[in-house]
Amino acid sequence: MLISLELFVMLVLANGTPVVAARLFGRRWSAPVDGGRLWRDGRPLLGTSKTWRGIVSGMLACGLFALITGMGLLFGMVFGLLGLVGDMISSFIKRRAGLASSARAIGLDQIPEALLPMILAWLWLELNGYIVAAVVALFTLSNILLSPLLFRLGIRHQPH
Protein backbone atom coordinates (compact mmCIF):
# COMPACT_ATOMS: atom_id res chain seq x y z
CA MET A 1 0.00 0.00 0.00
CA LEU A 2 2.85 2.41 0.82
CA ILE A 3 4.41 1.81 -2.61
CA SER A 4 1.13 2.91 -4.24
CA LEU A 5 1.22 6.19 -2.34
CA GLU A 6 4.89 6.73 -3.18
CA LEU A 7 4.27 6.12 -6.89
CA PHE A 8 1.27 8.46 -6.81
CA VAL A 9 3.46 11.16 -5.25
CA MET A 10 6.03 10.60 -7.99
CA LEU A 11 3.36 11.10 -10.66
CA VAL A 12 2.35 14.34 -8.98
CA LEU A 13 6.01 15.42 -8.84
CA ALA A 14 6.59 14.64 -12.52
CA ASN A 15 3.45 16.58 -13.42
CA GLY A 16 3.78 19.45 -10.95
CA THR A 17 7.48 20.20 -10.66
CA PRO A 18 7.71 21.70 -14.19
CA VAL A 19 4.89 24.10 -13.25
CA VAL A 20 6.72 25.14 -10.08
CA ALA A 21 10.01 25.47 -11.98
CA ALA A 22 8.32 27.74 -14.53
CA ARG A 23 7.09 29.99 -11.73
CA LEU A 24 10.50 30.04 -10.04
CA PHE A 25 12.63 30.59 -13.12
CA GLY A 26 10.29 32.50 -15.41
CA ARG A 27 11.68 32.42 -18.96
CA ARG A 28 15.11 31.14 -17.96
CA TRP A 29 15.91 27.71 -19.42
CA SER A 30 12.49 27.63 -21.08
CA ALA A 31 13.58 26.38 -24.49
CA PRO A 32 10.77 24.29 -25.98
CA VAL A 33 11.51 20.61 -26.50
CA ASP A 34 10.23 20.78 -30.06
CA GLY A 35 12.46 23.76 -30.86
CA GLY A 36 9.42 25.61 -32.21
CA ARG A 37 9.06 23.17 -35.11
CA LEU A 38 5.80 22.63 -36.91
CA TRP A 39 4.35 19.28 -37.98
CA ARG A 40 3.17 18.54 -41.52
CA ASP A 41 -0.23 19.97 -40.63
CA GLY A 42 1.33 23.37 -39.91
CA ARG A 43 0.61 23.16 -36.20
CA PRO A 44 3.29 23.09 -33.48
CA LEU A 45 4.82 19.69 -32.85
CA LEU A 46 4.23 19.99 -29.08
CA GLY A 47 4.00 23.68 -28.20
CA THR A 48 5.94 26.13 -26.08
CA SER A 49 4.79 24.75 -22.72
CA LYS A 50 6.87 21.56 -23.09
CA THR A 51 10.36 22.73 -22.12
CA TRP A 52 13.74 21.22 -21.40
CA ARG A 53 13.56 22.89 -17.98
CA GLY A 54 10.36 20.97 -17.33
CA ILE A 55 11.90 17.66 -18.33
CA VAL A 56 15.00 18.17 -16.18
CA SER A 57 13.06 19.44 -13.16
CA GLY A 58 10.49 16.62 -13.32
CA MET A 59 13.18 13.97 -13.69
CA LEU A 60 15.24 15.38 -10.82
CA ALA A 61 12.25 15.68 -8.48
CA CYS A 62 11.20 12.09 -9.13
CA GLY A 63 14.79 10.86 -8.92
CA LEU A 64 15.42 12.52 -5.56
CA PHE A 65 12.11 11.30 -4.14
CA ALA A 66 12.80 7.75 -5.32
CA LEU A 67 16.30 7.91 -3.85
CA ILE A 68 14.93 9.02 -0.48
CA THR A 69 12.24 6.32 -0.47
CA GLY A 70 14.65 3.55 -1.45
CA MET A 71 13.51 2.96 -5.02
CA GLY A 72 16.73 4.40 -6.42
CA LEU A 73 17.77 7.52 -8.29
CA LEU A 74 17.84 5.85 -11.72
CA PHE A 75 14.36 4.38 -11.33
CA GLY A 76 13.00 7.74 -10.24
CA MET A 77 14.60 9.67 -13.07
CA VAL A 78 13.35 7.22 -15.71
CA PHE A 79 9.92 7.21 -14.06
CA GLY A 80 9.80 11.01 -14.22
CA LEU A 81 11.00 11.05 -17.81
CA LEU A 82 8.31 8.57 -18.86
CA GLY A 83 5.65 10.68 -17.16
CA LEU A 84 6.82 13.69 -19.11
CA VAL A 85 7.02 11.69 -22.36
CA GLY A 86 3.41 10.64 -21.75
CA ASP A 87 2.50 14.30 -21.32
CA MET A 88 4.29 15.15 -24.57
CA ILE A 89 2.43 12.35 -26.38
CA SER A 90 -0.83 13.88 -25.15
CA SER A 91 0.27 17.31 -26.38
CA PHE A 92 1.22 15.89 -29.77
CA ILE A 93 -2.21 14.25 -30.13
CA LYS A 94 -4.00 17.41 -29.00
CA ARG A 95 -2.09 19.52 -31.54
CA ARG A 96 -2.99 17.07 -34.33
CA ALA A 97 -6.64 17.31 -33.28
CA GLY A 98 -6.40 21.11 -33.48
CA LEU A 99 -6.79 21.59 -29.73
CA ALA A 100 -4.92 24.38 -27.97
CA SER A 101 -2.51 23.48 -25.17
CA SER A 102 -5.04 24.90 -22.72
CA ALA A 103 -7.92 22.80 -24.11
CA ARG A 104 -9.30 20.15 -21.78
CA ALA A 105 -9.18 16.54 -22.95
CA ILE A 106 -10.29 14.34 -20.07
CA GLY A 107 -8.35 11.10 -20.02
CA LEU A 108 -5.88 12.21 -22.68
CA ASP A 109 -4.56 14.87 -20.30
CA GLN A 110 -3.93 12.31 -17.52
CA ILE A 111 -3.68 8.67 -18.60
CA PRO A 112 -0.57 8.65 -20.84
CA GLU A 113 1.52 10.57 -18.28
CA ALA A 114 0.43 8.14 -15.54
CA LEU A 115 0.38 4.88 -17.50
CA LEU A 116 3.84 5.03 -19.10
CA PRO A 117 5.74 5.43 -15.81
CA MET A 118 3.47 2.93 -14.07
CA ILE A 119 4.31 0.32 -16.71
CA LEU A 120 7.95 0.91 -15.79
CA ALA A 121 7.08 0.50 -12.10
CA TRP A 122 5.15 -2.69 -12.88
CA LEU A 123 8.18 -4.19 -14.63
CA TRP A 124 10.99 -2.73 -12.49
CA LEU A 125 9.36 -3.21 -9.08
CA GLU A 126 7.39 -6.33 -10.08
CA LEU A 127 4.09 -4.80 -9.03
CA ASN A 128 0.67 -6.35 -9.21
CA GLY A 129 -1.31 -5.09 -12.21
CA TYR A 130 -4.10 -3.98 -9.88
CA ILE A 131 -1.71 -1.56 -8.17
CA VAL A 132 -0.77 -0.11 -11.54
CA ALA A 133 -4.43 0.33 -12.52
CA ALA A 134 -5.33 1.79 -9.12
CA VAL A 135 -2.52 4.37 -9.17
CA VAL A 136 -3.34 5.41 -12.75
CA ALA A 137 -7.03 5.76 -11.81
CA LEU A 138 -6.21 7.70 -8.63
CA PHE A 139 -3.91 10.08 -10.49
CA THR A 140 -6.48 10.59 -13.26
CA LEU A 141 -9.35 11.30 -10.86
CA SER A 142 -7.32 13.52 -8.56
CA ASN A 143 -6.02 15.51 -11.53
CA ILE A 144 -9.51 16.01 -12.92
CA LEU A 145 -10.97 16.98 -9.53
CA LEU A 146 -8.10 19.02 -8.04
CA SER A 147 -6.86 20.96 -11.07
CA PRO A 148 -9.73 23.49 -10.95
CA LEU A 149 -8.93 24.17 -7.28
CA LEU A 150 -5.23 24.63 -8.04
CA PHE A 151 -6.21 27.04 -10.82
CA ARG A 152 -8.35 29.10 -8.42
CA LEU A 153 -5.47 29.22 -5.97
CA GLY A 154 -3.21 30.58 -8.73
CA ILE A 155 -0.95 27.51 -8.80
CA ARG A 156 -1.97 26.32 -12.28
CA HIS A 157 -2.37 28.47 -15.40
CA GLN A 158 -5.30 26.43 -16.68
CA PRO A 159 -8.22 24.95 -14.71
CA HIS A 160 -7.34 21.42 -15.92
Side-chain angles (χ1 to χ4, degrees), residues 20-34:
V20 173
R23 290 219 178 241
L24 288 174
F25 299 111
R27 297 203 127 326
R28 286 179 293 207
W29 308 303
S30 63
V33 173
D34 65 8

Side-chain angles (χ1 to χ4, degrees), residues 1 6 8 25 30 54 64 72-73 86 90 104 115 130 156 160:
M1 186 63 159
E6 291 169 342
F8 173 77
F25 299 111
S30 63
L64 292 173
L73 180 67
S90 298
R104 188 170 199 178
L115 186 58
Y130 293 114
R156 291 188 66 115
H160 49 275

